[in-house]
């Protein structure tokens, strides 16, 4: 398919129509089918998909958006990027996703939206979060960057709020190196999203003449260029065909790993009760307190990486102490907006309590077979048996 893009002469949706349906539209159609939703607008990254979704839903200057305290920094920086202020909610200690009760406690007069993140391999408590959003008239956006294809109450995630956002960055289970998408069942939101990602242009109703522009300059909503290239769309179209089977293999291995690691004293991440199908971006588990009392998490993760040759690490740096969120390093967030965007003071007792014990395994390690899962459990046992010796070394790879 990459050869087809190369030879078509059309490498972007913002280039002239070349006589065939764009790969971007083909991927969008396929991703709608995959998620059983009506509209999909591909974007250049997960970050831009969050910015597009927030702005399509009307979030802007002076608004507050509640986000989880444990997630990738993009959830906070994307809120700042649309001139709003992130407010941190704490997590549930078992699902590691946003705790609905903490969200409720953070709602104030300026709250406009909630971005829920389905983290690592869990789906958040969507029943409770959707009900809170409804009750308070808030926009609910689902960040599905880590859960392509997960299901809740037999419906694909991403359609429980106004919009769902996705990342197709290199580490994700569906990837084109960089890429993203927003999905929705609302035609007006989809149209706004289209404009926001293509400089105020959208696809027209009629098929254009070959050699003329397919995007129409309606200027309904001013946008930026966050479009996915035709090469990336072609890669995603091919990758999407493999995803259901890969998700199945990972889920099968993860179920086995749950049993093995529970026997080793670890506590695997749980998903919310309404989840009907789980996907695995990272496999997450909490180490028992006595293990981290003997050697710190970084040392244990490094020892496991050395044993297994897999990508194994701690969790995200909680957002209230994350160095990557620092709006004061950019003038647009300080002098122009005139808002205090800092989040250092936000309290996250549950996140802080578990973060020193949280271990995450990248999904590639779950594509093997039963033997590989046994190897992981054996490595955990070996490391647990040698903690005293490990604590004395400075093993950090
Ligand atoms: C990866 C990720 C993002 C950002 O996606 P990019 O494509 O890297 O911009 C946002 N949110 C979550 C939860 C992610 O995992």
């Amino acid at each position: 398919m990459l050869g087809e893009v190369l030879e078509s002469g059309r490498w972007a949706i913002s280039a002239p129509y070349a006589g065939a349906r764009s790969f971007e539209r083909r991927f969008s159609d396929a991703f709608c089918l995959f998620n059983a939703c009506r509209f999909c607008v591909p974007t250049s990254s997960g970050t831009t998909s969050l910015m597009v979704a927030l702005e399509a839903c009307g979030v802007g200057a002076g608004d507050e958006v509640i986000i989880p305290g444990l997630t990738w920094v993009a959830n906070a920086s994307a809120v700042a990027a649309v001139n709003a202020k992130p407010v941190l909610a704490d997590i549930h200690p078992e699902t590691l996703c946003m705790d609905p009760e903490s969200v409720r406690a953070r709602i104030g007069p300026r709250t406009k939206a909630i971005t829920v993140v389905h983290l690592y391999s869990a789906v958040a408590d969507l029943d409770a979060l959707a009900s809170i959003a409804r009750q308070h008239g808030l926009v609910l956006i689902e960040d599905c960057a880590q859960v392509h294809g997960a299901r809740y109450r037999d419906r694909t995630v991403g359609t429980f709020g106004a919009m769902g956002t996705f990342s197709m960055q290199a580490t994700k289970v569906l990837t084109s190196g960089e890429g993203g998408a927003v999905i929705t069942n609302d035609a007006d939101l989809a149209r706004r999203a289209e404009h926001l990602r293509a400089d105020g242009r959208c696809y027209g109703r009629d098929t254009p003449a070959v050699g003329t522009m397919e995007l129409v300059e309606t200027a309904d909503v001013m946008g930026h260029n966050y479009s996915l290239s035709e090469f990336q769309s072609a890669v995603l179209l091919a990758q999407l065909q493999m995803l259901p089977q890969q998700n199945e293999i990972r889920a099968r291995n993860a179920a086995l790993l749950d049993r093995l690691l529970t026997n080793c004293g670890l506590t695997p991440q749980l998903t919310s009760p309404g989840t009907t199908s789980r996907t695995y971006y990272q496999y997450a588990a909490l180490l028992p307190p006595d293990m981290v009392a003997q050697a710190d998490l970084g040392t244990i993760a490094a020892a496991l990486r050395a044993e297994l040759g897999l990508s194994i690490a701690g969790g995200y740096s909680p957002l209230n102490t994350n160095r990557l969120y620092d709006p004061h390093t950019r003038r647009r967030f300080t002098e122009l907006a005139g808002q205090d965007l800092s989040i250092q003071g936000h309290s996250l007792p549950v996140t802080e309590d578990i973060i020193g014990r949280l271990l995450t395994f990248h999904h590639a390690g779950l594509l093997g077979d039963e033997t590989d899962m046994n190897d992981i459990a054996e490595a955990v046992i070996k490391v647990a048996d040698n903690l005293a010796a490990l604590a004395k070394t400075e093993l950090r790879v």
Side-chain angles (χ1 to χ4, degrees):
M1 278 197 270
L2 283 174
E4 207 179 319
V5 176
L6 191 67
E7 279 155 31
S8 75
R10 187 185 188 188
W11 292 0
I13 57 169
S14 53
Y17 182 66
R21 197 167 171 77
S22 71
F23 278 90
E24 201 243 20
R25 296 184 93 169
R26 287 166 59 184
F27 169 67
S28 161
D29 292 347
F31 206 51
C32 280
L33 265 181
F34 179 79
N35 291 303
C37 65
R38 291 180 63 204
F39 305 99
C40 165
V41 180
T43 63
S44 55
S45 70
T47 303
T48 52
S49 75
L50 285 165
M51 286 159 59
V52 163
L54 288 163
E55 284 210 276
C57 292
V59 175
D63 292 337
E64 289 183 1
V65 179
I66 302 175
I67 63 171
L70 183 68
T71 181
W72 176 237
V73 68
N75 287 105
S77 57
V79 171
V82 303
N83 287 7
K85 178 186 166 79
V87 172
L88 306 184
D90 210 347
I91 57 166
H92 184 278
E94 290 176 325
T95 66
L96 310 181
C97 294
M98 204 172 209
D99 178 358
E101 284 321 302
S102 179
V103 171
R104 212 188 280 282
R106 300 294 195 271
I107 295 173
R110 294 185 154 227
T111 311
K112 172 86 177 180
I114 301 167
T115 309
V116 55
V117 179
H118 304 302
L119 197 73
Y120 299 136
S121 64
V123 178
D125 185 348
L126 283 171
D127 285 345
L129 290 165
S131 138
I132 291 171
R134 229 179 358 256
Q135 201 183 335
H136 293 268
L138 304 176
V139 171
L140 180 65
I141 292 169
E142 282 177 84
D143 183 340
C144 304
Q146 312 195 352
V147 284
H148 309 68
R151 296 170 76 80
Y152 187 85
R153 303 217 178 279
D154 269 327
R155 234 168 79 201
T156 315
V157 296
T159 56
F160 286 81
M163 297 191 112
T165 68
F166 292 83
S167 165
M168 281 63 139
Q169 180 267 345
T171 65
K172 308 296 155 88
V173 297
L174 178 68
T175 180
S176 46
E178 300 282 2
V182 298
I183 64 170
T184 182
N185 283 321
D186 183 312
D188 292 331
L189 291 181
R191 203 175 149 79
R192 281 178 63 81
E194 262 198 75
H195 284 79
L196 286 163
R197 74 87 161 72
D199 284 319
R201 297 167 293 180
C202 71
Y203 284 115
R205 220 173 281 142
D206 306 318
T207 307
V210 170
T212 66
M213 286 298 179
E214 187 170 12
L215 294 183
V216 181
E217 295 184 4
T218 68
D220 285 356
V221 186
M222 185 179 102
H224 292 100
N225 182 12
Y226 302 143
S227 299
L228 197 64
S229 81
E230 287 292 277
F231 291 102
Q232 292 166 310
S233 298
V235 170
L236 289 180
L237 202 52
Q239 295 273 309
L240 187 59
Q241 288 169 8
M242 295 186 273
L243 183 60
Q245 200 199 353
Q246 291 178 338
N247 274 345
E248 219 178 285
I249 295 170
R250 282 187 288 256
R252 195 164 57 232
N253 281 324
L256 174 58
L257 204 52
D258 280 350
R259 289 197 297 279
L260 293 169
L261 294 186
T262 301
N263 288 340
C264 301
L266 275 66
T267 309
Q269 179 188 23
L270 295 181
T271 187
S272 300
T275 311
T276 40
S277 180
R278 227 174 143 171
T279 58
Y280 288 81
Y281 164 61
Q282 302 265 6
Y283 180 94
L286 297 182
L287 293 167
D290 65 312
M291 257 182 100
V292 291
Q294 294 176 70
D296 72 53
L297 181 72
T299 307
I300 294 171
L304 287 170
R305 281 199 299 273
E307 281 295 317
L308 293 161
L310 294 176
S311 169
I312 299 170
Y316 292 113
S317 169
L319 286 178
N320 60 353
T321 54
N322 193 318
R323 296 170 56 240
L324 298 179
Y325 180 81
D326 191 0
H328 301 290
T329 54
R330 286 167 70 186
R331 186 161 167 252
R332 65 183 289 188
F333 296 129
T334 51
E335 294 172 47
L336 300 182
Q339 242 180 319
D340 178 13
L341 295 176
S342 61
I343 52 180
Q344 273 81 10
H346 299 199
S347 118
L348 301 169
V350 180
T351 305
E352 282 153 23
D353 181 50
I354 59 98
I355 199 66
R357 299 193 286 130
L358 175 58
L359 202 59
T360 62
F361 298 68
H362 186 246
H363 63 81
L366 293 173
L367 281 177
D369 56 23
E370 221 178 296
T371 330
D372 299 311
M373 301 309 110
N374 283 317
D375 288 348
I376 294 175
E378 272 168 30
V380 170
I381 293 168
K382 184 172 170 191
V383 168
D385 286 345
N386 292 283
L387 288 171
L390 266 180
K392 288 198 209 111
T393 66
E394 281 289 300
L395 187 57
R396 299 266 165 136
V397 193

